[in-house]
């Protein structure tokens, strides 16, 4: 007899599971419950529809209930909320939201892809606000769009500097609205480390976003027309978007006695089965294994949901395929910048007490002599013993996520920084350099592991100057006009060999240049000649992004 | 005592070797001979300087003789040609081209990076042409630019449809010159297979290039003002660029008794040593190991030269590092298109008698609902037993080389098509889809290996219709207006289940749609229901590119 599969949630994870199930097995009975009106919509496109980059609302809906039902022979029940899972009898209880009818539906295998819901904390005055919104689905989008069209807000406050907050800040700004972005932490975009996030901060300010860091919301007053901050500051606003994160929709799972994590994420094994082997879970609602740290964590992104959907379907159909864990590869467009990350960042690695090394480079997006070669800032984290890649971050204008994707591929493939040297990219001047940034990262990291150079980080620079230590700036004299470190000694790289006599073997030279490359070359020279030195990683550029 | 290293050739391979040598060892004596005036110039930028995309000639020179000498403490001898290698005495004989002085220079280790020189065949009348050029270096560029500035040619003939020919065609066209491109083979860009090259052909024609395929040059008449073809056709022209390929500059090596391949490439071992262990060779002049086929071949590209330069330096300094072989990853901008490849193509695999499967997909560059989502055509070649990746090709407008780079990374990392499923790319709508094209290739290829679907290639379609076989077009009726196969039966995918009764279990259905995806879904349905079927890979799109 054919099996009956019930799926809760009809978007990224749920719809992907359903489609693959049908392609695997024509005989399955597949029922997909979705409490909203729409299935298979483009969550990720919502901010761009609000900002009118995407013009047609219809483009947000990838599959209609009718179309998908027919194409994949699915029993899709939208506007129907599952309100209980009855594990003993293998049924779910559902409410048809159109009619209010409550009924049970049996299953052989149950799939939970209920997603995550925006966090709405009990801040004073929040319930009285008539102008506060969160953004998750089409109705939210319609509400926001309707409010903007009708009320024509002049000013907006976006609370939370995650990627949805930033995308919304940009899209509201694109509508001519004056935007204040409030972030309680000391940086936007948590997957970045602070020195990389600092570049984003500058860019946001440059683009006219009023950025407030390290200040939380204390209260809303005057029905949300006034936002009062912890610092005592207050901001008048016509519109508020609350985007401080999401929490897993795991109430059903919990009530059914399935294991969940402390943060409420549904726990699954490598085959994406919950503590009940006939119940699979995936997407934003589950705790995934962080591919690098192997810790259970919450990474609410679309790639994992889509990937897991296919695996769940395969496993239900009798395959036994493991989900390998999540890197958290992510990218966001922030005005002219592209910001991309993969793997663990320095904060995480530090928190885990893991040994790591980090490097920063600032290569051009493509050959410097071909027009439009903007620099990209890349950071790589790697294991100083094994050369294992641990994470990477990139911020720049063009070609940013291309290299982060390569690094993500290398990371998942368990390649090392040595392997990065052999990554044979396609090269032509409009696209990159004959030594690609990815190769450079491999070369530079290997130089550190191999002991060719010792580096100092941007946060070690301040206070270095003293009896024992000298900052040696090897840039050309004319470059000093663009900024320098107080007390640094300047000897351009081309003159260094001739002036070695003026240096002392008792001191340690912290060698600095614009981006770290000449500093490295100079360090090699000094080291070979018997001088103690460290190269300041990322050069003045990395240092000044975070210090200015 | 410190070693003395002599390098022949001061550009991609030679200069990279010299720089790394110095960074490795301050004590080495390093002499670099370059017969031209310039070292370290941007070969790859030359066409763009001619086309005035690159405005300043000075931008083509990455390192000056003086600057590089000082920075790296090198003895750089430009305008000095090495005319003999005297292996027994470990010297080279050089001619100073400024003075005519001939002298010897001893070496402990010798490095050959002399590159490759444009092929100039003895075509009738070629020596009388005053308007024929080849392009390799700065003097060639100056000559071409001078000729164009002075003679203001209205028409040009580019002979050879490789990437230099195409780049020059585009750049000449950008100057308002009417360009005819002549290619003796049946396609441009040899690393592509014909169905992919066909897209480039259409694009060239669309952009106003007069494209002549399968016709070679028989003679030049009237001092090159007339080009006569094998077919008897003739073309009047003001300017001729000859770009039919390059041959290794291995005369010195041969004369010194070093082993060379049949085609004249210098033979080296994995450590890039020639048959004389004190002589290393690299770059365009050597025969590299093709990473996929492991055959010795010639792949004259900048990435290998740069990579090998660093390895040669390391090996001279006592490391023992192997060059892993070359994929031949390449990319070219052809007007609005980006054309990228890696690994082996179908022609090569067929020639080698290797077992392979091929698939074609046509995904959007990024989420379809985000503006500017142009389709990209990708082709993947893989081993049907092991899932090993063998090669990939991409043609499209945006994001093309990004996925080829990922595939090249996977290929070099010896990942399989199954691993492609787990490549966790950074996803946001402006950059890709939650299932990236790379994941799709992994999914689709796995479906073939796992026996979920059988595919037919574009070249199997013609003549399929008959007693036994039916072409089943599962597109919507309105789509048929854009083209269809004669004799095909049309049942839209959404109606297929209802109309199964009209099909016969005795026939084989060749299922076709626009790009192959619905064809695949329909094939699954049919197969599950017991019908014989094949999905037409790449759909009507791949078929019609090559057939129209
Ligand atoms: C504005 C926005 C922008 C985003 N941008 C990006 C991006 O650029 N890149 C990226 O990687 N990710 C992005 N995401 C995240 C991405 O959309 C999610 O990670 C992904 O959709 C998760 O898939 P899922 O199936 O777990 O949950 P969802 O796609 O949210 O689907 C869950 C569905 O289950 C339904 N449901 C829940 N409980 C029940 C119930 N009891 N009964 C019936 N139905 C139920 C919900 O109504 C919901 O429709 C974005 C998300 C948002 C909101
Ligand atoms: C117009 C053009 C565009 C290109 N575009 C691309 C591209 O987009 N992507 C890509 O990957 N590759 C491209 N290439 C190829 C790339 O430039 C070469 O693969 C690379 O430069 C090879 O490096 P090499 O060191 O072997 O040779 P070269 O860089 O050519 O250097 C060899 C040098 O050796 C010198 N020499 C030779 N014999 C002697 C001697 N006896 N004594 C002294 N000196 C000697 C020569 O004068 C020459 O300057 C392009 C090449 C050209 C000409
Ligand atoms: C739209 C949705 C239902 C698609 O599910 P899907 O059918 O599994 O996914 P796709 O349409 O991308 O198709 C993928 C399938 O087509 C196959 N395929 C793709 N291109 C192909 C081609 N040219 N030829 C043959 N097969 C092809 C793939 O192999 C895969 O099939 P498989 O899983 O059986 O191997 C689901 O992803 C969804 O609802 N998405 C919207 C929500 C969402 O993802 N939100 C977050 C991002 S905005
Ligand atoms: C210009 C040329 C001399 C450069 O040689 P090079 O110094 O080895 O190469 P780069 O300038 O790219 O620098 C790479 C070095 O800097 C290091 N590096 C790069 N960025 C760094 C950073 N931010 N911090 C520290 N080190 C860095 C790399 O690790 C590498 O050093 P290593 O090899 O010792 O590990 C040589 O490549 C050349 O002549 N190129 C022009 C010709 C050519 O390539 N033509 C074909 C393409 S147009």
């Amino acid at each position: 007899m054919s099996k009956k599969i019930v799926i809760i949630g009809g978007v990224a994870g749920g719809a992907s599971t359903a489609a693959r199930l049908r392609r695997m097995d024509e005989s399955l009975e597949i029922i997909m419950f979705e409490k909203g009106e729409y299935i298979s919509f483009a969550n990720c496109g919502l901010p761009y529809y609000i900002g009118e980059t995407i013009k047609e609302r219809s483009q947000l809906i990838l599959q209609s209930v009718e179309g998908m039902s027919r194409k994949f022979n699915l029993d899709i029940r939208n506007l129907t909320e599952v309100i209980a899972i009855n594990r003993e009898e293998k049924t779910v209880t559902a409410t048809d939201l159109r009619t209010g009818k409550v009924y049970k539906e049996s299953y052989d295998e149950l799939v939970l892809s209920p997603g995550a819901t925006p966090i709405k904390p009990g801040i004073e005055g929040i319930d009285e606000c008539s102008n506060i919104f969160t953004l998750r689905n089409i109705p939210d989008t319609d509400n926001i769009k309707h409010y903007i069209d009708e009320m024509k807000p002049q000013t907006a406050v976006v609370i939370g500097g995650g990627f949805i907050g930033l995308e919304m800040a940009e899209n509201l700004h694109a509508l001519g609205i004056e935007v204040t972005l409030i972030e309680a932490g000391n940086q936007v975009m948590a997957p970045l480390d602070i020195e990389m996030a600092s570049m984003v901060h500058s860019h946001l300010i440059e683009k006219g976003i009023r950025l407030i860091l390290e200040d939380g919301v204390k209260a809303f007053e005057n029905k949300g027309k006034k936002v009062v901050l912890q610092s005592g500051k207050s901001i008048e606003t016509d519109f508020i978007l609350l985007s401080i994160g999401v929490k897993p929709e795991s109430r059903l799972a919990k009530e059914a006695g399935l294991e969940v994590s402390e943060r409420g994420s549904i726990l699954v094994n490598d085959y994406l089965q919950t503590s009940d082997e006939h119940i699979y879970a995936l997407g934003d609602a589950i705790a995934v294994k962080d591919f690098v740290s192997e810790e259970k964590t919450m990474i609410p992104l679309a790639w994992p949901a889509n990937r897991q959907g296919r695996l769940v379907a395969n496993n239900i159909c009798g395959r036994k395929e493991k989900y390998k864990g999540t890197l958290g590869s992510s990218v966001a467009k922030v005005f002219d910048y592209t910001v991309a990350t993969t793997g663990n960042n320095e904060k995480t690695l530090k928190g885990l007490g893991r040994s790591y090394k980090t490097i920063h480079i600032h290569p051009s997006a493509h050959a410097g002599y071909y027009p439009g070669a903007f620099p990209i800032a890349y950071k790589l984290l790697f294991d100083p013993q094994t050369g294992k890649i641990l994470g990477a971050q990139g911020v720049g204008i063009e070609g940013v996520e291309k290299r982060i994707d390569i690094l993500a591929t290398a990371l998942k493939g368990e390649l090392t920084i040595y392997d990065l040297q052999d990554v044979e990219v396609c090269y032509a001047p409009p696209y990159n350099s004959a030594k690609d940034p990815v190769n450079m990262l491999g070369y530079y990291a290997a130089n550190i592991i191999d002991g060719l150079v010792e580096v100092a980080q941007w946060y070690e620079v301040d206070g270095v100057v003293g009896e024992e230590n000298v900052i040696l700036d090897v840039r050309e004299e004319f470059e000093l006009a663009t900024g320098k470190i107080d007390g640094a000694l300047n000897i351009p790289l081309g003159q260094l060999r001739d002036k070695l006599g003026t240096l002392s073997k008792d001191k340690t030279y912290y060698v600095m240049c614009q981006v770290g490359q000449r500093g490295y070359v100079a360090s090699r020279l000094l080291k070979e000649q018997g001088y103690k030195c460290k190269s300041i990683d990322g050069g003045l550029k990395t240092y000044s992004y975070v210090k200015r």
Side-chain angles (χ1 to χ4, degrees), chain A:
Chain A
M1 220 205 64
S2 106
K3 276 210 264 186
K4 182 169 169 186
I5 318 293
V6 167
I7 301 171
I8 302 177
V11 192
S16 292
T17 307
R20 174 67 177 174
L21 275 174
R22 176 56 71 224
R23 288 190 294 262
M24 289 293 283
D25 189 342
E26 194 56 23
S27 75
L28 295 173
E29 183 179 349
I30 305 171
I31 302 173
M32 186 165 88
F33 287 103
E34 168 54 56
K35 68 181 173 193
E37 182 177 350
Y38 302 101
I39 59 160
S40 187
F41 63 85
N43 332 51
C44 319
L46 304 179
Y48 297 99
Y49 172 64
I50 292 170
E52 296 178 1
T53 294
I54 298 171
K55 305 277 181 231
E56 298 295 330
R57 184 173 178 281
S58 62
Q59 292 196 274
L60 298 173
I61 294 146
L62 305 186
Q63 301 274 345
S64 68
V65 172
E66 201 220 332
M68 188 161 183
S69 301
R70 266 202 290 126
K71 220 185 330 177
F72 292 103
N73 186 25
L74 306 173
D75 180 350
I76 300 179
R77 305 191 189 167
N78 63 333
L79 289 169
T80 308
E81 180 170 5
V82 174
I83 53 170
I85 302 167
N86 319 299
R87 288 168 55 195
E88 322 68 44
E89 56 177 53
K90 290 182 88 175
T91 66
V92 297
T93 308
T95 306
D96 182 329
L97 300 176
R98 290 183 189 87
T99 60
K101 202 184 114 190
V102 175
Y103 62 95
K104 285 190 179 179
E105 193 66 61
S106 68
Y107 65 79
D108 293 307
E109 308 289 334
L110 178 64
V111 178
L112 309 180
S113 193
T117 185
I119 294 171
K120 220 177 154 181
I123 296 171
E124 189 188 321
I126 196 167
D127 291 332
E128 284 76 50
C129 294
S130 56
N131 63 346
I132 197 165
F133 297 87
T134 55
L135 178 60
R136 178 185 184 184
N137 51 31
I138 305 255
D140 295 342
T141 308
D142 290 342
N143 289 339
I144 292 173
K145 222 165 150 62
H146 183 77
Y147 186 91
I148 292 174
D149 289 348
E150 293 294 304
M151 310 299 287
K152 308 205 184 324
Q154 302 292 302
T155 56
V157 163
V158 172
I159 304 172
F163 71 88
I164 296 179
L166 287 175
E167 286 175 359
M168 279 302 294
E170 179 173 352
N171 278 291
L172 292 169
H173 182 268
L175 295 174
I177 299 172
E178 215 173 276
V179 179
T180 302
L181 184 74
I182 300 173
E183 165 58 53
N186 66 345
Q187 64 161 87
V188 300
M189 306 212 97
L192 291 176
D193 289 311
I194 181 76
E195 76 281 19
M196 303 298 284
S198 298
M199 298 181 63
V200 183
H201 298 163
S202 305
H203 192 60
L204 287 169
I205 293 165
E206 203 177 287
K207 289 291 168 178
I209 300 293
R210 192 172 153 209
L211 179 65
I212 299 179
L213 296 173
E214 300 185 79
D215 206 350
V217 177
K218 197 171 147 200
F220 298 105
E221 291 180 2
N222 194 11
K223 297 192 172 166
K225 285 286 185 185
K226 187 170 172 182
V227 180
V228 184
L229 304 184
Q230 299 288 356
S231 62
K233 255 186 243 164
S234 73
I235 303 155
E236 304 290 328
T237 186
D238 300 331
F239 174 95
I240 303 171
L241 184 90
L242 191 63
S243 53
I244 56 169
V246 295
K247 59 169 195 288
E249 284 220 27
S250 56
R251 193 182 50 77
L252 281 186
K254 260 183 283 189
E255 288 175 1
L258 298 177
E259 281 175 29
V260 299
S261 75
E262 252 173 58
R263 289 173 67 188
S265 299
I266 304 171
L267 292 174
V268 293
N269 63 16
D270 284 348
Y271 304 102
L272 301 169
Q273 286 163 304
T274 65
S275 49
D276 180 331
E277 61 170 335
H278 294 293
I279 305 181
Y280 293 79
L282 73 154
D284 288 358
I286 68 166
V288 289
K289 186 175 71 185
D290 179 304
F291 185 84
V292 176
S293 69
E294 302 196 2
E295 304 276 321
K296 287 276 181 183
T297 182
M298 187 181 163
I299 302 180
L301 290 172
W303 187 91
N306 275 267
R307 174 79 190 110
Q308 292 159 8
R310 193 172 186 274
L311 286 173
V312 164
N314 284 355
N315 289 341
I316 287 177
C317 295
R319 296 199 185 186
K320 261 203 146 317
E321 292 180 358
K322 286 188 185 181
Y323 182 64
K324 299 228 165 102
T326 302
L327 289 175
S329 302
S330 74
V331 59
K333 175 173 146 14
V334 182
F335 291 94
D336 304 341
Y337 273 5
T338 292
V339 180
T341 67
T342 190
N344 284 181
N345 60 22
E346 191 164 358
K347 286 172 291 194
T348 305
L349 294 169
K350 219 172 230 159
L352 293 168
R354 168 130 203 190
S355 105
Y356 68 88
K357 279 273 178 193
T358 169
I359 52 175
H360 300 75
I361 64 172
H362 298 272
S364 293
H366 57 248
Y369 52 79
Y370 190 91
F374 298 105
I376 308 175
Y378 282 113
K379 174 174 187 172
L380 180 76
L381 297 137
F382 59 96
D383 184 304
Q385 271 73 51
T386 60
K388 192 171 151 36
I389 304 163
L390 302 173
Q393 300 161 40
V395 179
I397 291 180
E398 183 207 287
V400 178
E401 89 290 359
K402 165 164 128 169
R403 280 69 177 226
I404 298 294
D405 281 352
I406 295 178
L407 294 166
T409 305
L411 216 176
K412 269 267 172 90
E414 311 211 39
L415 307 185
T416 70
I417 58 100
Y418 292 101
D419 297 310
L420 295 183
Q421 304 184 350
D422 283 311
V423 167
E424 187 182 333
V425 296
C426 306
Y427 162 65
Y431 304 95
N432 48 13
S433 298
K435 301 185 181 78
D436 190 81
V438 165
N439 303 130
M440 288 296 188
L441 290 170
Y443 287 151
Y444 183 13
N447 290 337
I448 292 177
I449 298 187
D450 297 347
L452 291 186
V453 64
E454 208 178 316
V455 294
Q457 287 301 311
W458 57 270
Y459 49 75
E460 300 173 56
V461 172
D462 285 350
V464 128
V465 184
E467 281 294 288
E468 315 264 285
N469 301 326
V470 179
I471 292 186
L472 174 60
D473 189 331
V474 296
R475 293 176 301 159
E476 300 301 315
E477 229 181 285
F478 74 86
E479 292 175 86
L480 303 183
T482 67
K484 55 179 181 166
I485 305 285
D486 288 338
L489 171 68
N490 177 232
I491 307 179
L493 175 56
Q495 302 170 25
L496 190 56
R497 264 186 207 83
D498 296 340
K499 297 197 175 160
L500 278 179
T502 67
L503 304 184
S504 153
K505 296 212 167 166
D506 297 331
K507 304 203 169 177
T508 299
Y509 293 91
Y510 283 72
V511 192
M512 170 166 267
C513 67
Q514 199 59 29
V515 299
Q517 187 170 10
R518 281 172 292 171
Y520 155 63
V521 175
S523 296
R524 287 299 305 146
L525 197 178
L526 292 173
K527 202 173 152 102
E528 283 278 296
Q529 300 280 2
Y531 294 87
K532 288 185 283 185
C533 63
K534 292 187 184 196
S535 178
I536 297 176
D537 173 60
L540 190 67
K541 204 159 182 177
T542 298
Y543 175 85
S544 36
Y545 266 116
V546 60
K547 289 291 180 178
R548 80 188 169 193

